[in-house]
């Protein structure tokens, strides 16, 4: 059985969603952390989301990898997301 070693608090205002299409990470503002790119390399799905946020110490953490079934566009302008989806 696995257990948690510690609990982290997150800055809710720092949470960001990244869309990954065919292995390339996209952001709403073209700022993509290296960690998001590294995570994307390990996922075989052609289209998914990566949610990340900073903890209280300012360290970037993975929050969730999603298959888009319940994902909203969060901070993304709808037109920006449409541009990326048109790459399919």
């Amino acid at each position: 059985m696995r257990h948690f070693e510690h609990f982290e608090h997150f800055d809710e205002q720092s949470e960001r969603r990244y869309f990954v299409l065919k292995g390339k990470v996209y952001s709403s503002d073209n700022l993509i952390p290296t960690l998001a790119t590294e995570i994307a390399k390990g996922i075989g799905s052609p289209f998914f989301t990566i949610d990340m946020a900073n903890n209280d110490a300012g360290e970037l953490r993975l929050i969730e990898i999603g298959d888009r079934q319940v994902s909203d566009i969060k901070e993304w302008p709808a037109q920006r997301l449409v541009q990326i989806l048109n790459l399919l």
Side-chain angles (χ1 to χ4, degrees), residues 3 6 14 19 22 24 26 37 42 45 49 54 58 61 70 78:
H3 64 280
H6 66 278
S14 72
F19 285 88
K22 298 179 183 176
K24 183 171 181 185
Y26 295 90
T37 303
S45 176
T49 59
N54 292 327
R61 297 288 197 239
V70 295

Side-chain angles (χ1 to χ4, degrees), residues 30-47:
N30 293 320
L31 299 174
I32 301 164
T34 302
L35 182 56
T37 303
E38 291 301 313
I39 291 167
K41 289 178 185 177
I43 308 296
S45 176
F47 185 60

Side-chain angles (χ1 to χ4, degrees), residues 16 26-32 80:
R16 302 287 315 275
Y26 295 90
S27 71
S28 62
D29 59 4
N30 293 320
L31 299 174
I32 301 164
R80 173 80 174 123

Side-chain angles (χ1 to χ4, degrees), residues 1-87:
M1 174 184 270
R2 299 186 93 176
H3 64 280
F4 292 100
E5 302 267 333
H6 66 278
F7 181 83
E8 290 187 318
H9 293 275
F10 291 92
D11 174 5
E12 292 179 24
Q13 300 300 320
S14 72
E15 187 173 352
R16 302 287 315 275
R17 170 156 295 153
Y18 303 93
F19 285 88
V20 182
L21 176 63
K22 298 179 183 176
K24 183 171 181 185
V25 181
Y26 295 90
S27 71
S28 62
D29 59 4
N30 293 320
L31 299 174
I32 301 164
T34 302
L35 182 56
T37 303
E38 291 301 313
I39 291 167
K41 289 178 185 177
I43 308 296
S45 176
F47 185 60
F48 58 97
T49 59
I50 297 173
D51 291 354
M52 303 183 82
N54 292 327
N55 65 13
D56 286 353
E59 300 164 320
L60 189 60
R61 297 288 197 239
L62 171 66
I63 302 298
E64 178 181 36
I65 295 173
D67 61 3
R68 305 129 6 249
Q69 289 187 16
V70 295
S71 295
D72 67 18
I73 60 174
K74 291 199 176 232
E75 75 276 357
W76 284 71
Q79 187 58 35
R80 173 80 174 123
L81 184 57
V82 169
Q83 288 172 339
I84 291 167
L85 292 175
N86 281 331
L87 298 174

